[in-house]
Amino acid sequence: DGTELTAKPKRSFYAARDLYKYRHQYPNFKDLRYQNDLCNLRFYKNKIPFKPDGVYIEEVLNKWKGDYEKLEHNHTYIQWLFPLREQGLNFYAKELTTYEIEEFKKTKEAIRRFLLAYKMMLEFFGIKLIDKTGNVARAANWQERFQHLNESQHNYLRITRILKSLGELGYESFKSPLVKFILHEALVEDTIPNIKQSALEYFVYTIRDRRERRKLLRFAQQHYTPSDHFIWGPPRKPKSEGSKTNKKPASPISIHNSYISKHKKPKEPKNTSASGSSAGKTTEERKVELTKNSEENDQDEQEMNCDAFRQNNSEKNSNTDTSQLSKSEDNNDTSDRKDDSSHSKNDDENLNNDCGNHPDTIEKDLCDAENSSDNMSADLQGSLDKDTLSGGTTIKNKDELKS
């Protein structure tokens, strides 16, 4: 209790909605009704006085200038000096129309008086216009006027109206320098600290250019205190150390597919030994299936001219020869793998693709591979043919295989 003297500020939904409508040229459905009235333009031409006071624009600019008491306590003139396309507190003041805005910009007399009214209000706030681009600075009476501005918060509504009217009547470029000046005085110089909420809630968002708004918000964020109370921008994302652990686990299907792709296409030649061992395991598994169909294999061997092996021994002897075949494969794999790495990869891939197919198809593929590869090692060739074709116990020598 009492640790936090000021509550964290909150964004105003009303302010956000109001300024959004303003920035996007809020539609005025009364344009047709008031198209021929042009009371705001006629007031700035000094043809009609503003109501209900009955005072003309020339009198306001000449006699009210410097009369801070009158400017402070009168609440009916501001809607006439800075008209908008929305209704204000003075119901005698008429809303701007799009047609009236275009006519206003074409009238030099009205534009000249409009800039004089802007200078008068800046002086009332303790600010002066220093050039034609809209840059502002402290006026001579800034200390007194800043103190008054810091206490009379109803003037913040007037500043919002002034900024909106500048954008409506062709002086959009004047808004950013004024808002930047107010933010600097409120956040850096701390001369008008009470205005910073209205400056960030209303003044900044009257600027239609998104880049200009972001520049002002970045400037305010750098100087805002306490920094964690700055709510007019995207919150900073905390960097969590365990963010990597929050990733979605890979599905079993993707893991299986990645395993198969790595098995088929190893990145480095060093993996050829691993592929050779997997090929050996696959051959042994096929051998079990092929031994059951040994009688059919004998006939297929004769048709495809693969008479290298015959099934002459029993199932027990075939199990005994399995260890001998694996030893011969291991001995010949090291010497012959370098020259025939590409061929072994193709055989390995064909074996994986044909896993579970009919034995006739497997034998045909292996026989075709035998006829097309002359550089393959004889011992390795004999081992593969023995395992996959006949499952026999005897191994032919190199001369018999070549013949």
Side-chain angles (χ1 to χ4, degrees), residues 11 205 214 217-218 221 227 230-237:
R11 294 291 303 274
Y205 289 96
R214 289 180 176 178
L217 290 174
R218 282 194 290 266
Q221 188 176 20
S227 60
F230 188 84
I231 58 174
W232 292 273
R236 296 179 179 177
K237 296 180 181 179

Side-chain angles (χ1 to χ4, degrees), residues 138 142-143 146-147 149-150 181-182 184-194:
R138 290 176 176 177
W142 69 271
Q143 291 181 333
F146 278 12
Q147 183 178 358
L149 184 61
N150 193 52
F181 174 82
I182 293 173
H184 184 268
E185 292 293 337
L187 299 176
V188 180
E189 302 295 337
D190 201 29
T191 54
I192 42 177
N194 292 338

Side-chain angles (χ1 to χ4, degrees), residues 72 124-125 142-156 159 185-186 190-197:
E72 173 66 24
F124 171 69
F125 299 136
W142 69 271
Q143 291 181 333
E144 175 192 353
R145 300 316 301 167
F146 278 12
Q147 183 178 358
H148 175 76
L149 184 61
N150 193 52
E151 296 172 356
S152 59
Q153 298 184 7
H154 72 93
N155 283 303
Y156 304 162
I159 295 176
E185 292 293 337
D190 201 29
T191 54
I192 42 177
N194 292 338
I195 204 175
K196 66 180 180 180
Q197 179 76 14

Side-chain angles (χ1 to χ4, degrees), residues 26 32 36 40-41 46 99 109 137 163 168 171 229 240 243 254 294 312 316 367 375-376 380 392 397:
Y26 45 92
L32 296 177
N36 298 323
N40 296 288
L41 180 58
N46 205 38
Y99 175 76
E109 182 183 2
L163 289 167
E168 292 294 328
Y171 289 92
H229 282 198
S240 58
S243 60
S254 62
S294 58
N312 296 322
K316 294 180 181 181
C367 290
N375 297 327
M376 188 172 183
L380 181 60
N397 56 22

Side-chain angles (χ1 to χ4, degrees), residues 213-267:
R213 290 200 308 270
R214 289 180 176 178
K215 288 179 183 178
L216 294 173
L217 290 174
R218 282 194 290 266
F219 173 81
Q221 188 176 20
Q222 292 174 358
H223 302 283
Y224 194 90
T225 54
S227 60
D228 58 337
H229 282 198
F230 188 84
I231 58 174
W232 292 273
R236 296 179 179 177
K237 296 180 181 179
K239 295 181 180 180
S240 58
E241 295 180 356
S243 60
K244 295 183 179 179
T245 59
N246 296 331
K247 291 183 179 179
K248 270 177 133 186
S251 61
I253 298 176
S254 62
I255 295 175
H256 179 69
N257 292 337
S258 63
Y259 172 77
I260 292 175
S261 62
K262 289 180 181 178
H263 179 71
K264 288 184 177 180
K265 298 179 181 179
K267 295 182 179 179

